[in-house]
Amino acid sequence: MIPLSILDLAPIVDGGDAADALRRTLDLAQHAEAWGYKRFWLAEHHNMDGIACSATAVLVGHVAGGTKTIRVGSGGVMLPNHAPLMVAEAFGTLATLYPGRIDLGLGRAPGTDQATARALRRHLAGEAEDGFPQDVMELQDYLGDAKPGQAVRAIPGVGTRVPIWLLGSSLYSAQLAAYMGLPFAFASHFAPDLLMQALDLYRSTYRPSADWPKPHAMVGANVIVADSDDEAARLFTSLQQRFLGMQRGQRGPLPRPIEPAQMAAMWTPREQAGVERMLAASAVGSPDSAKRQLDALIERTRADELIVACAVHEHAARLRSYELLSRF
């Protein structure tokens, strides 16, 4: 099995609150460290009921401070929402506190709706995403070695060389990561349509860099492992209900699981097809079943790493899933 990492959105579950979600995030990270996971990444989302990961850098620091060896990072910081200097200072501070353990994954989407994006940025320029390559390069300069006469520096930050990853669900970031010689992570756990095209483009156009002489691709997947296929399928209904709500424009806490047969009464055939398309990069089942599904995904994508999301309502079942996965 290739290296395994975890993507966490600090899910707020039905019957819980944000404080519960954040406690469970740290508990999961501590278990993940003991089970041998390579990275623990936290996403950035705003104004979304059911997700408690809006202050990503703060949460990265919380998890890094509560663990000892696992790499902790962003999956990712949505760079259009932030000035590159602010990101460099935040992650430079984290890298100074926890040397050799911090990753900085960057995305170019706002991670929210347009009204919230305006509230985040105050002045939302139409070209915000078009400035993404320049913002990435500016951020690299702040985290790199100081240059003679450099007027603006990130302190802490300068010289920390925090590893930067580009994240994406389209061909844009794949092409940019290849051009800049950076590792690339594809968000196939919710947008798998362009996965293979993006990986092919990234690898075929890759320009080697000093830190990354070869392309390095991480693939996202939803994985739910339980003691039986039936139990895993039941746990998976929480995520299916969440994605059904997304199709209907409805947000809320992560729902409690139901019996898989009950899903048929909840969605139309069109909605079912939409949910299944978005969740196509998923492995759900007993250890044997889930491993077969993951092996097929790894063989198809030739991924260098796998980053796993596991939206399960019951914390004990979520821990159990990651524990079983770590044994693959």
Side-chain angles (χ1 to χ4, degrees):
M1 179 65 69
I2 59 176
L4 292 172
S5 298
I6 291 175
L7 175 65
D8 186 45
L9 277 64
I12 301 172
V13 303
D14 183 27
D17 57 22
D20 292 328
L22 298 180
R23 281 192 295 268
R24 290 173 177 179
T25 284
L26 180 57
D27 185 57
L28 173 60
Q30 290 168 338
H31 279 87
E33 182 173 72
W35 292 328
Y37 283 88
K38 185 170 185 178
R39 309 177 197 275
F40 193 96
W41 281 8
L42 297 137
E44 176 185 342
H45 292 285
H46 299 277
N47 193 30
M48 291 189 181
D49 292 333
I51 296 175
C53 57
S54 56
T56 315
V58 176
L59 200 47
V60 169
H62 176 61
V63 171
T67 54
K68 296 179 180 178
T69 57
I70 194 170
R71 296 193 68 91
V72 187
S74 59
V77 163
M78 300 295 105
L79 193 51
N81 295 338
H82 311 278
L85 177 60
M86 295 290 289
V87 177
E89 289 175 338
F91 278 79
T93 300
L94 289 167
T96 302
L97 289 169
Y98 311 106
R101 294 182 56 208
I102 302 299
D103 295 324
L104 176 53
L106 301 173
R108 62 185 285 265
T112 187
D113 56 85
Q114 287 300 304
T116 307
R118 290 188 181 92
L120 285 165
R121 306 180 208 171
R122 289 301 194 188
H123 303 288
L124 180 62
E127 66 276 7
E129 290 186 7
D130 294 337
F132 183 67
Q134 290 73 30
D135 286 348
V136 174
M137 289 187 287
E138 183 179 345
L139 185 49
Q140 283 182 313
D141 286 342
Y142 289 136
L143 295 173
D145 296 330
K147 297 181 176 64
Q150 185 173 347
V152 179
R153 294 174 294 156
I155 303 172
V158 62
T160 56
R161 304 184 65 85
V162 178
I164 290 176
W165 294 63
L166 295 192
L167 282 54
S169 57
S170 68
L171 304 183
Y172 181 97
S173 290
Q175 189 171 14
L176 182 61
Y179 181 80
M180 300 185 71
L182 293 173
F184 175 59
F186 194 86
S188 36
H189 61 292
F190 73 89
D193 290 356
L194 296 175
L195 170 61
M196 296 309 300
Q197 283 180 260
L199 293 177
D200 289 344
L201 179 63
Y202 172 63
R203 290 171 176 140
S204 64
T205 61
Y206 189 79
R207 304 196 321 167
S209 62
D211 291 332
W212 299 94
K214 297 188 299 183
H216 191 93
M218 176 188 284
V219 170
N222 300 291
V223 179
I224 297 178
V225 191
D227 293 321
S228 69
D229 288 341
D230 288 345
E231 177 60 9
R234 186 186 74 85
L235 296 173
F236 190 46
T237 60
S238 292
L239 188 59
Q240 290 173 318
Q241 290 177 76
R242 167 163 280 178
F243 273 68
L244 177 60
M246 290 167 59
Q247 291 207 12
R248 295 174 174 175
Q250 300 169 351
R251 301 284 184 177
L254 184 69
R256 299 175 189 273
I258 59 178
E259 292 304 317
Q262 294 177 267
M263 289 299 305
M266 295 187 65
W267 53 21
T268 66
R270 182 176 180 178
E271 289 172 332
Q272 179 181 359
V275 170
E276 290 176 350
R277 178 183 60 80
M278 295 177 73
L279 296 178
S282 299
V284 179
S286 65
D288 287 344
S289 298
K291 187 175 189 305
R292 282 196 299 271
Q293 296 168 57
L294 279 184
D295 285 344
L297 177 65
I298 293 166
E299 182 178 4
R300 180 165 61 94
T301 61
R302 297 183 288 117
D304 299 293
E305 295 188 39
L306 199 66
I307 190 161
V308 171
C310 178
V312 168
H313 182 277
E314 302 153 17
H315 186 55
R318 190 171 181 229
L319 292 177
R320 177 65 172 163
S321 178
Y322 278 119
E323 180 183 12
L324 291 173
L325 175 60
S326 72
R327 300 175 185 174
F328 286 10

